Structure formats: C-alpha cells, structure tokens
Amino acid sequence: MQLSIENIVKFFFCFLIFLLAECCGYNMIMMEGGYLDVGLGRYVIALTFMLWGGAVAIFMLPGVNFYKPPFTVTAFLAYFFWVIIPTTILTTRSGDSLTFNIIGAWMPLLVLLLSYNIARNYGHNRWFLIMFLAIGAICTRQYFKIFFNFNAIAEESHLISSYYLLYILPLMMLCKSKTLRLTLSLLVLIMILISFKRAGIVALVLGLITYVVSMQFVTNRIKPSSILAGLIIGALFAFVIIMLGNMGEETLFERFENIGNDNGSGRTVVWAITAKMIEDSDLSSLLFGHGYNAVVQNSPINLSAHNDFLEITYDYGIIGITLYLSAFISLCYYVVKMLREKSEYAPSMAMLTSIMFVLSMISHIAIYYWMNVVMLTVGYCIGNFKRNKYLLIPQETNALNE
C-alpha cells in the first residue's frame, strides 16, 4: 500500500474505530453492574476520547476537506453541544465520575463529526467495513463473556448490553454478501433473545422488517422469487424465535404475556414519576435541565425514565428536548429522502431509525455510551450519501445486487 495522506487518514480512522469498539466492550461490562474486572477499561475510554478529539487536526492536512454537514447532522451536533453544558455545570457528581460524564457527553459529537467528514472525503471503504464488523465481533465476544459468567449474573438475567449488537447491526449490513447479512441478523437475533429483553426483540424485528422492505424498494426486486425467499427466511427467523423464546424457567413469551401484570417491568410507574418530577421542576431547571442522569439521582425509586424523551426533558431541559426532537424528526425525513433516491445506504438508515424510535419510547439510547455507535452509523451513511450525490455516483450500486 502506497504511503499517502489519504492512506494515513484511513488507517488512523480504522484505529479510532477499533478503540471505540474496545470502549464499547468495556462499557458492556460496566452496564451489567461492573461485577467483572474492567482492568484498564477506564484508561482506554479516556485515551479513546483524547485521540478522537485530537483527530480533528486531520482537517489541517492537505487534501483533507472539512464539509459543511446537512441539517440533520447539524441538528444532532447542536443537541450534543448543548448536552455538554448542563452535564458540565449542573451534574451533581464530582471528580472521576464527572470527568467520565463529560467524556460521554463529548464523544458522540466527535464521532458524528469525524465519521461524516471521513465518509465525504473518501467514501465507502472495505477497511472501514472490516472495522464495523470488528465492533460487532468485539461486542459479541464481550456479550458471551458476560452471559456465561453465571456466578456474577442474577437468576433472571436481562442483559441490556446486548443492545450494542442492535446498534452496530445496520453498519454491518452494508456488506455485499447476502449470506453474511443473513448470518449477522440471525446472530444478533439469538443474542437479543437469550438476553430476555422484550424491547430489544420488538426493536430488532421491526428493524429487520424495515430493512427488508427498504432493500426491496431500493433495488426494485419485488418479484415472486424474492417474495418466496423472504417467506423462507421469515420462517427461519420465526423458528429461532419460537425455539429460544420457550427456553428457560421463565420463557420470553411468558414475559410478553406478563406485560399487563408488570406494567412493562414497571415502566408506566416510572413514566408517571418522571413526568411528575418534570412538572415539579422550577422554571430554570425546566428550561436548562438538572444535569446528566439526574432522573436516577433524584427519583424516589432510583430508576431512569426508560424513555428518552422524558429523560432528556428532565436532564437537559426544554432546550435539550427541543434540539433532540428536531434532530430525530429531521433524521426521519432524511431517511425518506435517501429512500426516494434509492441510496444503497437507505436500508441501513431506515433500520437504525426504526430501532431508535422503538427504544427511545420504551428504553434508552441517547444517554448511554452506545449513542456513539448510533452516531457512527448516521455520520457514515449520510456522509457517503452526500458524497455520491456530489460526485453524481448512481445511488443503487452493485453492493446491493450481489
């Protein structure tokens, strides 16, 4: 490989993605209660933040352009920039915890900004795809490490860290091989099923349906043979769901049947309490928020809101939720635009958006470290879409037809 500024930047970006993947792996351990030794994890997270921040300097190199982002990307950047302010000023924690809260607030902004511009400069690259698959591999390794540590896991283990695989799946689905895409989808399905996360199952199933429908629309392949293949694959996925959904003392299906009795694991109670906390906030707190993760700290039941829109409103105020809603609604419109222009990146973006919608309503995306993976997908796909439009490259490519 010829040593050039382009190759150096590409290699460095791959290295940054690898570091981000390692941070995701460490964060998965921390999410499950920190019962496993994270070793140097906190130092790796801090180093990764410094390198992603320092990577902004690559735009000073000759031939590396900084592109003005479209409104959707700008809206997310504005939201993350606002999050930094209440996180830094209003968060009640101090010392090491505050430092990592600030790192968590800055990281999605850096990931989105860099991934968008790298894609605009260099387009889709097989080495980038390999690194996206590496994130999936690292998260898979870490997930099973957690899953099989029976001594540390409670009897009813509902492993939220499995969601990392949900958020990286749209990027991994950019691979050309249909067989590999099917295998990746099945693997993620299995991990979500054995994690016993009802919200994850709903989000994944809807995401896969959205992906398949979008793919058929983009490639104009709605034929009898395609329908038959879809039915066979759908039957395979249904078989896996039925088999794994009936395993264990308390089956996944029993958990779904029990939604009416446990109010969605107490979500309706949590939502009501969080809404009351917002209602009782003074004008200043209502406008500017209470700081990062303030719902957990201030709630009488010490639980997060389990709803991004409530959580953001309380943590980051009316300003924060207004910016987030603007970004999310804009993202939905942008996905429609990509579908209309039959972009090869539209199916992955449609899948991600549907997953975000489901889990923002009944779980969390915006306040956890995996938001970095979500923004990596948003920046990379929109950046490539804009690059193809600028270079007048046909949006429907062989990558979808192989």
Side-chain angles (χ1 to χ4, degrees):
M1 178 185 293
Q2 182 180 0
L3 189 62
S4 63
I5 289 178
E6 177 179 339
N7 288 332
I8 291 173
V9 172
K10 287 180 178 179
F11 175 80
F12 185 56
F13 186 62
C14 287
F15 178 64
L16 290 178
I17 295 174
F18 172 77
L19 284 179
L20 179 62
E22 285 294 321
C23 289
C24 291
Y26 286 120
N27 192 258
M28 290 171 71
I29 297 174
M30 297 175 187
M31 292 184 75
E32 302 300 345
Y35 51 78
L36 295 176
D37 181 18
V38 297
L40 299 176
R42 297 175 73 82
Y43 298 101
V44 173
I45 291 172
L47 174 64
T48 300
F49 167 69
M50 289 188 289
L51 289 176
W52 274 87
V56 176
I58 66 174
F59 299 116
M60 300 174 62
L61 297 174
V64 183
N65 299 316
F66 182 87
Y67 291 93
K68 179 182 178 182
F71 178 80
T72 299
V73 175
T74 303
F76 273 111
L77 291 173
Y79 164 72
F80 292 124
F81 184 78
W82 168 253
V83 164
I84 293 167
I85 298 173
T87 297
T88 305
I89 298 174
L90 301 175
T91 302
T92 57
R93 294 182 181 181
S94 61
D96 186 56
S97 295
L98 178 60
T99 299
F100 278 89
N101 289 341
I102 294 173
I103 288 175
W106 270 101
M107 271 299 293
L109 186 153
L110 295 172
V111 171
L112 176 59
L113 188 65
L114 281 169
S115 60
Y116 172 78
N117 275 281
I118 292 295
R120 281 298 310 267
N121 275 277
Y122 304 117
H124 190 42
N125 182 283
R126 68 187 180 95
W127 290 107
F128 297 159
L129 179 60
I130 289 173
M131 296 314 300
F132 300 151
L133 294 172
I135 297 179
I138 289 171
C139 289
T140 300
R141 176 204 67 192
Q142 197 69 286
Y143 176 77
F144 281 112
K145 179 180 178 181
I146 295 170
F147 183 83
F148 287 112
N149 191 353
F150 293 112
N151 293 328
I153 297 177
E155 291 182 3
E156 296 181 2
S157 55
H158 307 151
L159 301 180
I160 193 172
S161 58
S162 62
Y163 284 0
Y164 267 102
L165 277 301
L166 266 181
Y167 302 131
I168 191 57
L169 182 60
L171 270 181
M172 296 193 295
M173 295 291 275
L174 292 175
C175 63
K176 296 180 179 181
S177 169
K178 293 180 182 178
T179 303
L180 181 56
R181 293 200 297 265
L182 177 60
T183 302
L184 291 169
S185 299
L186 275 171
L187 178 62
V188 173
L189 176 65
I190 290 171
M191 285 188 284
I192 297 296
L193 283 168
I194 63 178
S195 74
F196 275 75
K197 298 301 295 183
R198 292 175 295 193
I201 290 296
V202 174
L204 177 58
V205 170
L206 180 60
L208 288 173
I209 292 173
T210 304
Y211 179 86
V212 171
V213 172
S214 300
M215 180 67 79
Q216 297 301 312
F217 177 80
V218 167
T219 57
N220 295 315
R221 275 190 275 149
I222 303 179
K223 305 173 183 177
S225 58
S226 299
I227 295 174
L228 178 60
L231 290 173
I232 294 174
I233 294 173
L236 173 62
F237 276 70
F239 175 76
V240 172
I241 292 174
I242 293 171
M243 287 293 294
L244 293 180
N246 282 303
M247 292 178 62
E249 293 183 7
E250 181 195 22
T251 70
L252 183 62
F253 290 131
E254 287 174 343
R255 292 204 71 220
F256 273 105
E257 292 172 359
N258 199 39
I259 288 179
N261 296 324
D262 66 5
N263 294 313
S265 295
R267 277 174 171 77
T268 56
V269 175
V270 174
W271 294 338
I273 291 175
T274 307
K276 185 65 167 57
M277 290 168 62
I278 295 171
E279 182 183 337
D280 292 342
S281 299
D282 57 43
L283 182 59
S284 175
S285 297
L286 187 61
L287 185 61
F288 300 107
H290 297 79
Y292 173 76
N293 208 26
V295 173
V296 174
Q297 298 178 50
N298 298 339
S299 172
I301 57 176
N302 298 116
L303 290 175
S304 63
H306 285 75
N307 177 291
D308 271 339
F309 306 108
L310 290 172
E311 185 84 33
I312 291 170
T313 302
Y314 188 81
D315 287 359
Y316 307 127
I318 292 176
I319 296 175
I321 191 59
T322 300
L323 291 172
Y324 184 75
L325 284 172
S326 298
F328 186 79
I329 293 171
S330 174
L331 178 64
C332 295
Y333 278 107
Y334 208 90
V335 170
V336 172
K337 179 181 180 181
M338 295 173 75
L339 286 168
R340 286 177 177 172
E341 299 191 24
K342 297 187 181 298
S343 168
E344 64 182 287
Y345 304 98
S348 288
M349 284 296 292
M351 180 184 195
L352 178 71
T353 304
S354 65
I355 290 173
M356 285 183 67
F357 175 77
V358 172
L359 292 180
S360 285
M361 294 296 293
I362 57 179
S363 186
H364 284 304
I365 293 181
I367 67 169
Y368 288 146
Y369 198 83
W370 52 44
M371 191 63 168
N372 297 309
V373 176
V374 174
M375 289 300 106
L376 181 65
T377 306
V378 172
Y380 188 80
C381 290
I382 291 181
N384 277 291
F385 173 70
K386 291 286 287 185
R387 174 183 171 84
N388 288 356
K389 280 177 62 68
Y390 179 78
L391 297 177
L392 300 179
I393 298 174
Q395 292 294 312
E396 184 182 346
T397 68
N398 290 332
L400 296 179
N401 294 322
E402 294 188 10

